[in-house]
Amino acid sequence: MDVCTFEKVGIRGTNIVVLGVEKKSVAKLQDERTVRKICALDDHVCMAFAGLTADARVVINRARVECQSHKLTVEDPVTVEYITRFIATLKQKYTQSNGRRPFGISALIVGFDDDGIPRLYQTDPSGTYHAWKANAIGRSAKTVREFLEKNYTEDAIASDNEAIKLAIKALLEVVQSGGKNIELAIIRRNQPLKMFSAKEVELYVTEIEKEKEEAEKKKSKKSV
Amino acid sequence: MAATFFGEVVKAPCRAGTEDEEEEEEGRRETPEDREVRQQLARKREVRLLRRQTKTSLEVSLLEKYPCSKFIIAIGNNAVAFLSSFVMNSGVWEEVGCAKLWNEWCRTADTTHLSSTEAFCGFYHLKSNPSVFLCQCSCYVAEDQQYQWLEKVFGSCPRKNMQITILTCRHVTDYKTLESTGSLPSPFLKALKTQNFKDPACCPLLEQPNIVHDLPAAVLSYCQVWKIPAILYLCYTDVMKLDLITVEAFKPILSTRSLKGLVKNIPQSTEILKKLMTTNEIQSNIYT
């Protein structure tokens, strides 16, 4: 669902998974905290969605209940693939029921399984899901995906910092007015979800801009 | 007429219905009330072309009053935003008049006092070259009003030595193709030109069986009939409201002869466009 939606990017690093989203401008009188973009489904899984907010709320609530139900029944946290399959099956049911319309959301689901392997999945309104190394959803997903295809290398995701910078660089390709419109969340192995503050994102953005300037200086020196 | 079993001749009902026509005709005859209602409706739906300063109606058509060598028409809010940011900000344009019309699409029932925030249709010419005209039309011109609009703008005998460029948008679901709509690179540009337009288009031509609708189709048909060189640039997009990516899809037109010399500062225009987007952005919470 690419219409009218803001960019979301997900990257699977070696020891980290990163979710970056474009912050949409909030009305002056609106409480920004209530505008949720990245949602935790459990301690080790989180998702970002693009599309109808109300539909996402329903899907997220069902997924959260399923995560806890699974933990109580089987005494193990859900794997990322399990919860993705649950969400995808739910979405598919609504494409084949009378009197119902499909959920109008695409989702990026990231997390770590118990075996310590990082995962990134994408689902769409038809109910299909696929695993990705890096992906984007939203209005300009094609542009961001092209950037990721060029820049996602083993070196780029070798360290946590590099993976975070790659996510921010991908978003900066399409987000207007830079770093202050980017929200970031990461999950490291055996650690809970961490949301970055605006300051922390700005630090990364400044670092990226510095690296860009240095790369341009080198280029101009070479051409001289 | 038919004969019954007993030998009597009776008037049989005619399944062809020819006998009922006389009764229907009586009903079809217009009463004075019908005529009055029809005239009132025609007055309400009249297209008026007003002079800028005096707000009085023009006696002759716009292009009969002012000579024109180049006419660029933007129909729809994305096309209007493109011309506002890239063309109107690159020169000094003077408003020469505007078209006032009312139809069921208008949000107000008041036909005489359409406010400035309503959809509008304005005509401008370049101060440094008054034969270059521009039309910004963000209102919907209904089928019955299109002919009036053409008459009031072009007149009944237009000059052939002008070039017309029309910019408009259409939803990508209207685009008929063998490819799946999911794989289409929307927004994308297609062109349709009249026989007398000899310059190349900056994008592929619109393929069959796709057709053009509404006012752009009326203008293009008019130009084809009167042998005026005209080209329509149609942007198929998945977002019909004012959208930055859709407006930027018109950028290839900047390099064509139609807009040559009219656009000066492209980076500044892009900034102006971004500002236009942010001021017009509706704070909708439906989508995230």
Side-chain angles (χ1 to χ4, degrees):
Chain A
M1 181 110 184
D2 284 350
V3 177
C4 302
T5 56
F6 300 84
E7 298 318 306
K8 322 283 182 284
V9 82
I11 294 192
R12 189 183 82 192
T14 326
N15 303 308
I16 188 174
V17 285
V18 187
L19 262 187
V21 309
E22 178 187 358
K23 260 203 284 208
K24 74 170 198 185
S25 48
V26 169
K28 272 190 192 161
L29 296 173
Q30 194 171 22
D31 191 343
E32 218 182 310
R33 289 173 302 128
T34 60
V35 183
R36 290 267 168 268
K37 290 143 230 111
I38 300 176
C39 309
L41 298 181
D42 204 341
D43 299 325
H44 61 296
V45 188
C46 72
M47 84 175 230
F49 62 91
L52 293 165
T53 322
D55 285 9
R57 193 183 63 232
V58 170
V59 168
I60 289 168
N61 284 342
R62 298 270 266 272
R64 283 172 173 168
V65 168
E66 179 61 21
C67 284
Q68 299 313 308
S69 166
H70 186 279
K71 215 184 265 184
L72 287 168
T73 321
V74 183
E75 292 189 354
D76 275 333
V78 293
T79 59
V80 185
E81 200 262 343
Y82 175 91
I83 197 64
T84 307
R85 196 168 359 110
F86 172 81
I87 290 172
T89 313
L90 175 66
K91 284 184 180 181
Q92 192 280 334
K93 277 198 195 129
Y94 278 69
T95 66
Q96 220 176 1
S97 299
N98 56 320
R100 294 178 185 191
R101 60 161 178 82
F103 285 103
I105 62 166
S106 286
L108 284 175
I109 301 156
V110 297
F112 275 87
D113 286 343
D114 245 359
D115 53 12
I117 300 180
R119 308 273 183 198
L120 164 64
Y121 287 92
Q122 189 220 343
T123 65
D124 59 31
S126 64
T128 54
Y129 70 97
H130 300 277
W132 291 74
K133 292 180 191 166
N135 199 5
I137 52 176
R139 186 86 173 84
S140 316
K142 277 188 193 135
T143 320
V144 182
R145 213 173 292 129
E146 279 165 12
F147 174 87
L148 288 171
E149 280 171 11
K150 281 190 205 147
N151 296 283
Y152 185 93
T153 56
E154 290 309 314
D155 289 334
I157 53 142
S159 85
D160 293 355
N161 270 348
E162 289 305 314
I164 294 170
K165 272 195 253 174
L166 181 63
I168 297 177
K169 275 188 227 171
L171 278 175
L172 287 173
E173 289 282 301
V174 290
V175 167
Q176 283 115 48
S177 55
K180 56 182 162 68
N181 274 8
I182 293 179
E183 217 170 87
L184 210 70
I186 58 161
I187 303 183
R188 287 196 170 98
R189 192 175 288 115
N190 298 324
Q191 286 181 37
L193 168 73
K194 176 179 190 301
M195 295 285 306
F196 276 36
S197 67
K199 275 190 194 162
E200 288 167 312
V201 175
E202 264 313 308
L203 282 170
Y204 276 103
V205 171
T206 331
E207 215 182 299
I208 290 169
E209 277 167 5
K210 262 193 207 162
E211 283 174 10
K212 230 185 185 177
E213 274 174 35
E214 279 167 20
E216 268 166 28
K217 273 186 196 164
K218 274 190 190 165
K219 256 192 193 171
S220 54
K221 271 187 190 166
K222 271 190 186 167
S223 60
V224 164
Chain B
M1 296 307 220
T4 66
F5 181 74
F6 302 104
E8 46 180 330
V9 175
V10 292
K11 195 176 173 186
C14 174
R15 282 177 295 182
T18 44
E19 279 181 24
D20 293 330
E21 254 192 44
E22 280 175 25
E23 289 167 29
E24 272 182 35
E25 277 232 30
E26 275 178 37
R28 254 189 254 142
R29 252 175 248 139
E30 222 175 38
T31 63
E33 285 160 348
D34 289 339
R35 212 174 297 130
E36 179 63 35
V37 168
R38 208 184 293 279
Q39 280 170 357
Q40 261 183 20
L41 205 59
R43 270 196 297 271
K44 208 176 177 188
R45 295 177 74 85
E46 199 188 321
V47 176
R48 288 169 288 144
L49 212 60
L50 307 171
R51 260 186 278 257
R52 188 184 76 87
Q53 291 102 339
T54 56
K55 295 286 178 206
T56 53
S57 293
L58 279 169
E59 312 85 27
V60 291
S61 73
L62 188 78
L63 297 189
E64 272 177 64
K65 193 177 166 67
Y66 302 98
C68 170
S69 60
K70 212 184 246 187
F71 196 3
I72 307 160
I73 309 175
I75 301 169
N77 51 5
N78 283 302
V80 164
F82 174 75
L83 281 192
S84 292
S85 328
F86 286 88
V87 177
M88 292 193 80
N89 277 300
S90 298
V92 183
W93 293 83
E94 193 187 14
E95 189 181 345
V96 290
C98 63
K100 290 271 186 232
L101 54 95
W102 178 89
N103 52 50
E104 293 73 23
W105 282 74
C106 292
R107 292 194 182 175
T108 171
D110 187 346
T111 58
T112 45
H113 299 106
L114 289 168
S115 74
S116 54
T117 50
E118 294 291 325
F120 67 97
C121 182
F123 298 90
Y124 310 85
H125 69 182
L126 192 59
K127 255 191 161 169
S128 55
N129 183 1
S131 71
V132 177
F133 268 80
L134 200 149
C135 169
Q136 306 254 61
C137 183
S138 68
C139 60
Y140 177 70
V141 182
E143 294 83 357
D144 57 311
Q145 295 172 314
Q146 283 159 18
Y147 181 73
Q148 275 190 64
W149 191 96
L150 288 169
E151 281 275 280
K152 298 263 161 81
V153 175
F154 288 91
S156 43
C157 197
R159 288 191 200 96
K160 293 182 182 45
N161 58 348
M162 57 178 167
Q163 199 186 70
I164 317 276
T165 308
I166 311 154
L167 278 68
T168 190
C169 278
R170 194 80 192 162
H171 202 276
V172 72
T173 46
D174 283 342
Y175 185 65
K176 295 168 186 60
T177 172
L178 289 170
E179 291 174 48
S180 116
T181 16
S183 62
L184 287 172
S186 58
F188 57 91
L189 221 52
K190 290 285 177 188
L192 194 61
K193 49 187 182 172
T194 60
Q195 217 162 4
N196 287 61
F197 190 91
K198 302 297 178 199
D199 295 339
C202 63
C203 60
L205 294 179
L206 188 65
E207 316 88 349
Q208 290 203 359
N210 293 294
I211 60 169
V212 182
H213 303 76
D214 304 328
L215 188 62
V219 177
L220 210 59
S221 305
Y222 184 90
C223 292
Q224 171 69 5
V225 163
W226 286 102
K227 297 187 169 54
I228 303 169
I231 185 163
L232 162 70
Y233 286 105
L234 179 51
C235 177
Y236 281 102
T237 174
D238 45 4
V239 181
M240 283 310 284
K241 69 177 182 90
L242 197 61
D243 170 60
L244 183 66
I245 298 172
T246 306
V247 176
E248 290 195 329
F250 283 111
K251 269 186 170 170
I253 306 170
L254 296 174
S255 56
T256 61
R257 251 187 68 181
S258 313
L259 291 186
K260 210 176 173 184
L262 294 175
V263 183
K264 273 143 200 151
N265 196 340
I266 293 181
Q268 193 188 43
S269 301
T270 317
E271 284 308 309
I272 293 168
L273 179 63
K274 283 186 185 161
K275 268 192 203 152
L276 199 71
M277 293 293 151
T278 42
T279 47
N280 277 301
E281 214 174 63
I282 305 162
Q283 303 298 351
S284 167
N285 290 311
I286 299 177
Y287 296 105
T288 299

